Amino acid sequence: MCVNFNKVFTTIEMELKESPIKLISIDISDSPEFLTKEKITSYPTVILYINGNKYKYTGPLNSKSILTWTTKTIKQPFKLLTHSTLEEFNRLPYINKVVGYFDTQDVLFESFKAASNKISDYIFGAIVDPNEKIRLVYEFKDGTTGSWNMEEAYSLGFIEFLEVFGRNNITELDQQAIDRIVSFQIPTLIVFSEDDTDINLAEIEENIDIAKFAILTAGRSKFQELHSKWSIPPNEFPTAVLIRWTDDKTPIFVIYNSQLNVPFTSTSAVDFAIKAMSGEYVGYRKSEPINEEDLIGPVVKIVGNNFEDIVFGSEQDVVVLFYQTWCGHCIKLLPVYEELGNIYRNTNILITMIDTQKNGYPNTIGIKEFPTIMLFKKNYYDGIKLDTDLDLIEMVQFIEDNHSEDIIIREDN
């Protein structure tokens, strides 16, 4: 571990070169008394000393995490600045900085100050000067600088504003980025590519004119980790996934469709993102083969490639069970659902099911959990979700309450 940490140490050393923070490396084998004094029990150990106080680092052993922690620990989340102390504030490395210029310590100032304790990878500074124009000035940790409208940030809320707009639009796909886009429902284009490809992320960003939008990047190793989970064909690389959000905060995943015979390039990525955001793009959809035997019986089994034909193209109301085979609740429900199919077998209500682990479905349908049961009235694309307990009585009552026409009992063929 210590040998592997040498590269991390070197990176930290370079980042802190121009900062007021001093970095020291101690070989414990040459200083056993230091080991005892500081009660060090594992290696490597990172300790920060500030005015005689000791702070032990307990996070991930990578340069990004250590530098961010160091800067935040040294400097309070909020600092009232003067023009003379602003320069030292701006020299703090490897963390996003935002400075608010206020003409007085009013409600704007207090709201800005309160937000400083709730965003971990920012430090906040404030200058109060009646001669200054009210504004926000930022510097990202990569050196990118700019300014924002103070009133716009305040109206949205400083925390949400910084989480949504206070980031570089192009960032690496990691858990922190996922948490951010989920928390604030940020439409996001995830681009899977390597540095040696011709995918120009800056060009993609420049041509997607959407105010609230993020671009996340990932290489082949992350693609191998996620392609099965997100139903991306394993041989499709480079590629992209677009995530957009419904009004009830359900994520909709749209996968770049190479079956449309358009190679994945910067230009086609832009076209994909714009059309997927508007719902015009026909994304890739996994599907089992269509089996004619699955189309008869009390419960019709749908696959990805016949979903629209059976559900949206039907001349009768259609009930769909969305399930996955790993889901214990789903498996337990299947015999009960089969009973439901027998009840409506010879009626104008079609009972169907789709295994979403093996089959995709239209990206206009947002499924948050499994199992989910929805009723689609004929000639309608918007389904009605069953929100009660998934037992036979509740399912029958759900159908009786929501079907579009009188239920007709047909003669058994």
Side-chain angles (χ1 to χ4, degrees):
M1 174 64 77
C2 291
V3 174
N4 296 334
F5 190 70
N6 286 339
K7 184 177 180 180
V8 175
F9 184 88
T10 301
T11 301
I12 295 173
E13 189 175 37
M14 292 176 61
E15 293 287 349
L16 296 180
K17 187 176 181 181
E18 301 298 325
S19 82
I21 304 169
K22 293 184 178 180
L23 184 66
I24 300 174
S25 173
I26 298 177
D27 187 343
I28 294 300
S29 61
D30 296 331
S31 307
E33 68 283 356
F34 184 82
L35 175 70
T36 304
K37 177 184 176 183
E38 298 300 329
K39 300 179 180 179
I40 296 173
T41 58
S42 61
Y43 314 103
T45 292
V46 178
I47 300 175
L48 178 64
Y49 296 90
I50 305 175
N51 298 326
N53 296 314
K54 181 174 67 174
Y55 303 86
K56 186 175 179 180
Y57 178 71
T58 58
L61 291 173
N62 60 69
S63 58
K64 177 180 176 181
S65 298
I66 294 172
L67 284 164
T68 300
W69 170 81
T70 300
T71 303
K72 287 289 288 188
T73 305
I74 288 175
K75 209 71 172 178
Q76 307 98 317
F78 178 84
K79 180 73 174 177
L80 191 59
L81 303 170
T82 64
H83 291 286
S84 60
T85 59
L86 179 61
E87 181 179 353
E88 181 182 350
F89 178 85
N90 286 332
R91 287 172 57 203
L92 290 169
Y94 219 84
I95 194 165
N96 300 311
K97 297 179 279 287
V98 59
V99 177
Y101 288 81
F102 304 87
D103 54 5
T104 184
Q105 293 190 24
D106 56 5
V107 65
L108 282 177
F109 174 90
E110 293 300 334
S111 179
F112 179 76
K113 182 179 180 180
S116 66
N117 289 311
K118 299 180 179 179
I119 302 182
S120 62
D121 58 346
Y122 261 92
I123 53 173
F124 288 57
I127 291 180
V128 180
D129 185 341
N131 298 315
E132 283 283 359
K133 177 183 176 182
I134 298 175
R135 67 192 189 278
L136 293 174
V137 175
Y138 66 86
E139 179 181 348
F140 294 146
K141 52 192 168 188
D142 67 355
T144 305
T145 60
S147 63
W148 294 308
N149 181 284
M150 177 76 76
E151 295 288 349
E152 182 181 340
Y154 175 72
S155 63
L156 184 61
F158 286 113
I159 295 174
E160 181 168 353
F161 184 88
L162 288 174
E163 290 290 2
V164 174
F165 300 105
R167 301 277 187 265
N168 281 338
N169 278 350
I170 304 174
T171 55
E172 184 179 348
L173 173 61
D174 57 21
Q175 191 57 52
Q176 183 179 10
I178 291 294
D179 291 343
R180 182 171 70 94
I181 67 172
V182 170
S183 296
F184 298 96
Q185 292 85 56
I186 303 172
T188 302
L189 177 68
I190 301 176
V191 177
F192 293 96
S193 67
E194 297 287 17
D195 293 338
D196 59 356
T197 65
D198 294 328
I199 308 301
N200 188 326
L201 298 173
E203 179 183 334
I204 295 173
E205 178 190 22
E206 182 179 350
N207 287 281
I208 299 178
D209 188 18
I210 301 173
K212 183 179 176 181
F213 196 81
I215 298 175
L216 303 182
T217 65
R220 189 175 293 276
S221 60
K222 183 65 73 171
F223 174 80
Q224 296 296 337
E225 175 187 333
L226 292 174
H227 78 81
S228 178
K229 180 179 179 181
W230 287 359
S231 303
I232 309 171
N235 58 339
E236 296 293 327
F237 189 91
T239 189
V241 174
L242 183 126
I243 305 174
R244 58 187 176 85
W245 302 85
T246 63
D247 292 339
D248 66 350
K249 301 181 180 180
T250 300
I252 301 294
F253 287 76
V254 186
I255 301 170
Y256 187 83
N257 192 353
S258 64
Q259 295 174 349
L260 299 177
N261 296 321
V262 179
F264 185 73
T265 64
S266 302
T267 301
S268 63
V270 172
D271 184 66
F272 159 66
I274 293 172
K275 289 182 177 178
M277 280 295 296
S278 66
E280 300 175 25
Y281 190 87
V282 180
Y284 167 81
R285 187 186 304 170
K286 60 183 176 180
S287 179
E288 295 178 285
I290 297 176
N291 187 340
E292 295 298 327
E293 293 182 1
D294 291 337
L295 304 179
I296 57 177
V299 178
V300 170
K301 295 180 181 178
I302 303 173
V303 297
N305 288 338
N306 64 7
F307 189 100
E308 280 87 350
D309 291 340
I310 292 177
V311 179
F312 297 155
S314 178
E315 288 301 315
Q316 57 190 327
D317 293 351
V318 180
V319 178
V320 183
L321 166 64
F322 297 85
Y323 76 101
Q324 295 198 346
T325 52
W326 58 263
C327 165
H329 293 296
C330 299
I331 301 305
K332 184 177 179 180
L333 177 64
L334 291 182
V336 181
Y337 196 72
E338 186 85 10
E339 290 183 53
L340 183 73
N342 282 316
I343 291 173
Y344 290 98
R345 181 168 190 168
N346 297 313
T347 71
N348 56 336
I349 302 292
L350 182 63
I351 306 299
T352 70
M353 62 194 295
I354 180 169
D355 180 356
T356 61
Q357 196 169 350
K358 300 176 181 177
N359 300 280
Y361 50 88
N363 56 45
T364 53
I365 302 173
I367 303 297
K368 289 184 176 180
E369 59 187 4
F370 300 100
T372 289
I373 293 176
M374 299 182 74
L375 183 145
F376 294 84
K377 297 181 181 181
K378 72 172 186 177
N379 301 322
Y380 282 88
Y381 290 171
D382 294 329
I384 304 169
K385 182 184 176 185
L386 170 59
D387 288 322
T388 58
D389 293 337
L390 299 182
D391 59 44
L392 186 59
I393 294 175
E394 292 291 350
M395 288 189 281
V396 170
Q397 190 61 53
F398 169 69
I399 294 172
E400 297 296 323
D401 291 342
N402 293 285
H403 64 82
S404 61
E405 297 178 336
D406 291 339
I407 296 178
I408 301 172
I409 299 177
R410 303 189 181 105
E411 293 185 7
D412 192 350
N413 294 327

